[in-house]
Structures are given as structure tokens and as C-alpha cells.
Amino acid sequence: MKDKINQLIEEVKALQASTTEEVESLRIKYLSKKGTVSGLFDEFKNVPNEEKREIGQLLNILKNSAQDKINSLKNTFAANNKSDRDLDLTRTAEPIKLGTRHPLTLVKEEIAEIFSRIGFTIAEGPEIEDDWHVFSALNFPPEHPARDMQDTFFIEKNPDILLRTHTSSVQIRVMKNQKPPIRMIFPGRVYRNEAISYRAHCFFHQVEGLYIDKNVSFADLKQALLYFAKEMFGADTQIRLRPSYFPFTEPSAEMDISCNLCGGKGCPFCKHTGWVEILGCGMVDPNVLDNCGIDSKVYSGYAFGMGVERITNLKFQVKDLRLFSENDVRFLEEFKSAF
Ligand code: DAH
């Protein structure tokens, strides 16, 4: 009997099946009430007492390995059958998740589009600049606080190489290389050494504008900016220009638009003034034209500069600037249908 059991143990280990039906017939053959293993348990009664212990152990090994083998065969078919059942060729395809363009890109492109309708073309300049293009040529006096370490990220000192703090540097590059008339906008990223919070970041985006020709006047500037404000924020939008100071423009102004949330009546967003600031502008200082080799006695021009984050906030009331650089898809997807 011992030999018979050992032989069966080997036999069971080698069992194979290629369908669930075959597994079931193996189960019946070995493990059913009338199967081989049960038969051996019946015979066990007749085993002499002194052999009962050894044979009993062997019988249990046989029973367990038969059960294990049949269960594992069953499982392979169960897994295969499951994937067979899941394969539904009539199902519609999984939707492909499309990315969305960044809100700052969308707004930058809209700004560019509006100005292109009134004849402005686009140029870009380097983000790593020297002192001359960012400050000196733009008429910043040597002791001007914007040159300070606190505002500017310096890469090298003497000669100063730095990350541009504004896109006005691109004005200089263009005026050095082109003759008027020049009518261009310069979008780009700028850097300032600011602690990051919900309302400040160490990098942000600007769009600079420049128009140089004979007889360009402040009235031209005002008309171009009024056109932009109405196109960007709606036909009812009004603008107001407040006197201001920039080293590279004279006279200089800051422009407000009538609050696009309350329509100018006054609300918490515009701090109950009815106006919100959107950009800086002015007539290009004659010193700047001369620095770039453009004769300030023949030519005049205007310039303006706006923050893309600021315009985006006004349009969409994004309360926390950090959202723009965190790449949270949930935030980005909110702008899917905005344009
Ligand atoms: N460069 C200024 C800034 O970063 C913005 C600016 C103001 C640009 C007046 C201009 C301008 O061209 O005329 O704050």
C-alpha cells in the first residue's frame, strides 16, 4: 500500500488539464467519494496497527497534494476565463485624456492677438541679460534701488550678468538692431528676488509694447491701450491714466481699467474704488532712444508693460499666484472652456 500511495503522490504532482471540464474530471477521479483517494482511506481500516501511523501520514500527504494541485489548476482557468469575459469588443474605446493649455499661455496669446490686429508684431529676447540692457540703457541711475540684490538675481558681478527683472530689456535689443518704424510686443518670463506667497513669486510673465516712429504722441498711446482694454475686458470697459514715474519713459503713467467685476460701481475686488490697475506706460525717454542710436530729435515713441498673471487674475479671479506654477491638472482644466 505504501508503494501505491507514493506512486499516486508522484502522479498527482504531474497532473495536467487544458479545460475546466478536465479539471473537474480529475477532481472526481481522485477526490470524490468514490475516487482513488477515498478508496485508499477505506482500505486504511485494514492496515495493521503498527503501520497505521506511517501510512496515515502518507495518505494525508496524498490527499493534500491532490487538493492543492486541483485547486491550482482550477485557479489558472478561473483567471483565464475572467479575462475572456472582460473582453468586450463592442465597448466604446477608453477616452483619451487631452491636455489643456496653461491659462497664462492662453492670456498671453490673446494679448498678442489683440495687438496684432493693430499692427504689432512679436519679438523675444534672452532671460539672462547684462546690466546695460536691463538697467543702464533704460536710463536707470546707478544707485536705483531696482538694481539692488534684493530685487535682482545676479549670476555674475563685474561685469553684471543677471536674470532680467522686466521685459523692457527687449525694447533695447530691438531698437539697437532695427530702424523705426518699430511696432512690436515682447512677451516673456521675468525674475525678481521676492519671497513666494499667494501674491508674489520669484518669476512671472510680462508683455512689453513699443511703438517708435515720427510724430508718435501720447494720444496714440492712449488710443492703443483703450482698444486693448475694450477687446480684452469688454466693450464697456473704461480706462484712466494716472501720472507715474519710470526711468525709461517721460511722461509716465499707470493705467487702470474700470473694475471688470462690478463695472465700476465699487466692490471688495477694486477696494471700492471702481478701478483696477493693469499696466505701466509712457513716452519713451529721449535718453533711451539716443542710447540705442535712434535720433530722439527725429523719432518719438511710446512703451507699455503689463503682467500676464495680473491680466489673468482680472479675467479669472485666481486668488493664489502659486497655482500658476504648480501644474495641478485640476486647476489647469478649469480653463478648458474659457477661450
Ligand atoms: N518695466 C516695468 C515694470 O516691470 C513696466 C513698464 C512700465 C514697462 C512702463 C514699460 C513702461 O514699457 O513704459 O514694472
Side-chain angles (χ1 to χ4, degrees):
M1 187 163 176
K2 230 164 85 180
D3 289 346
K4 199 168 162 193
I5 299 175
N6 276 328
Q7 198 194 328
L8 275 167
I9 290 176
E10 289 309 311
E11 188 180 311
V12 160
K13 270 192 204 152
L15 286 182
Q16 299 278 8
S18 47
T19 62
T20 19
E21 289 75 32
E22 281 180 32
V23 183
E24 180 58 12
S25 54
L26 289 175
R27 190 193 64 79
I28 293 169
K29 181 173 173 201
Y30 289 95
L31 294 171
S32 67
K33 275 209 179 111
K34 291 191 177 145
T36 327
V37 178
S38 310
L40 286 169
F41 272 97
D42 286 344
E43 279 178 40
F44 184 65
K45 288 177 218 127
N46 311 326
V47 171
N49 273 349
E50 61 275 17
E51 283 179 37
K52 269 206 156 83
R53 201 179 129 87
E54 197 191 350
I55 305 259
Q57 276 176 353
L58 273 176
L59 263 179
N60 275 332
I61 292 174
L62 171 63
K63 191 179 150 201
N64 288 339
S65 48
Q67 237 153 20
D68 287 351
K69 183 71 193 189
I70 285 170
N71 281 345
S72 86
L73 286 172
K74 250 192 206 156
N75 284 342
T76 40
F77 288 115
N80 288 347
N81 281 352
K82 188 169 173 291
S83 68
D84 277 357
R85 252 182 282 124
D86 273 0
L87 184 67
D88 176 358
L89 296 174
T90 64
R91 254 176 65 175
T92 45
E94 291 281 336
I96 298 167
K97 242 182 168 247
L98 289 178
T100 54
R101 283 189 304 160
H102 196 283
L104 292 177
T105 309
L106 294 168
V107 170
K108 179 187 80 180
E109 281 175 8
E110 194 180 355
I111 297 170
E113 225 252 298
I114 293 170
F115 281 105
S116 80
R117 282 182 235 143
I118 49 173
F120 285 79
T121 55
I122 300 183
E124 286 182 0
E127 293 179 12
I128 298 176
E129 269 290 9
D130 53 28
D131 173 279
W132 192 76
H133 288 90
V134 177
F135 297 124
S136 300
L138 284 159
N139 208 31
F140 279 79
E143 71 287 359
H144 194 284
R147 294 175 175 236
D148 209 294
M149 287 292 250
Q150 264 142 39
D151 275 310
T152 309
F153 286 117
F154 286 92
I155 294 169
E156 274 171 37
K157 278 297 220 174
N158 292 323
D160 290 354
I161 303 294
L162 42 94
L163 294 179
R164 66 180 179 195
T165 55
H166 54 181
T167 43
S168 304
S169 53
V170 192
Q171 285 186 30
I172 302 300
R173 291 202 169 261
V174 168
M175 285 193 283
K176 280 287 283 177
N177 294 322
Q178 289 183 35
K179 297 215 167 341
I182 297 168
R183 199 191 322 231
M184 290 181 132
I185 57 164
F186 317 119
R189 181 176 281 189
V190 301
Y191 300 84
R192 284 184 204 176
N193 194 353
E194 302 252 8
I196 297 171
S197 73
Y198 74 97
R199 58 198 197 103
H201 210 294
C202 59
F203 67 78
F204 53 98
H205 301 80
Q206 291 186 332
V207 174
E208 186 85 11
L210 180 71
Y211 177 37
I212 310 284
D213 204 346
K214 288 178 182 150
N215 303 318
V216 178
S217 73
F218 202 93
D220 298 324
L221 170 63
K222 190 178 155 192
Q223 282 312 310
L225 293 179
L226 179 62
Y227 175 77
F228 166 71
K230 285 179 181 291
E231 291 293 297
M232 192 76 192
F233 295 102
D236 295 335
T237 309
Q238 292 180 298
I239 62 166
R240 112 180 148 173
L241 289 155
R242 285 179 288 104
S244 184
Y245 171 77
F246 300 102
F248 36 91
T249 43
E250 182 58 37
S252 303
E254 273 165 314
M255 185 172 99
D256 301 338
I257 57 165
S258 50
C259 177
N260 60 320
L261 282 194
C262 63
K265 286 187 209 74
C267 69
F269 186 71
C270 59
K271 300 196 182 77
H272 302 283
T273 62
W275 298 95
V276 284
E277 186 195 319
I278 69 160
L279 54 79
C281 60
M283 300 306 291
V284 179
D285 193 293
N287 289 342
V288 176
L289 294 175
D290 293 333
N291 286 339
C292 300
I294 293 176
D295 188 348
S296 60
K297 290 192 187 64
V298 180
Y299 293 101
S300 59
Y302 63 70
F304 55 86
M306 66 186 91
V308 182
E309 279 81 351
R310 173 99 185 126
I311 306 280
T312 311
N313 282 346
L314 287 174
K315 271 191 93 101
F316 302 113
Q317 287 85 51
V318 179
K319 301 228 163 52
D320 189 335
L321 267 182
R322 289 169 293 198
L323 287 166
F324 288 127
S325 48
E326 278 167 359
N327 279 341
D328 184 330
V329 198
R330 291 166 301 180
F331 168 72
L332 299 176
E333 280 183 342
E334 286 183 40
F335 298 87
K336 230 180 199 164
S337 57
F339 286 79

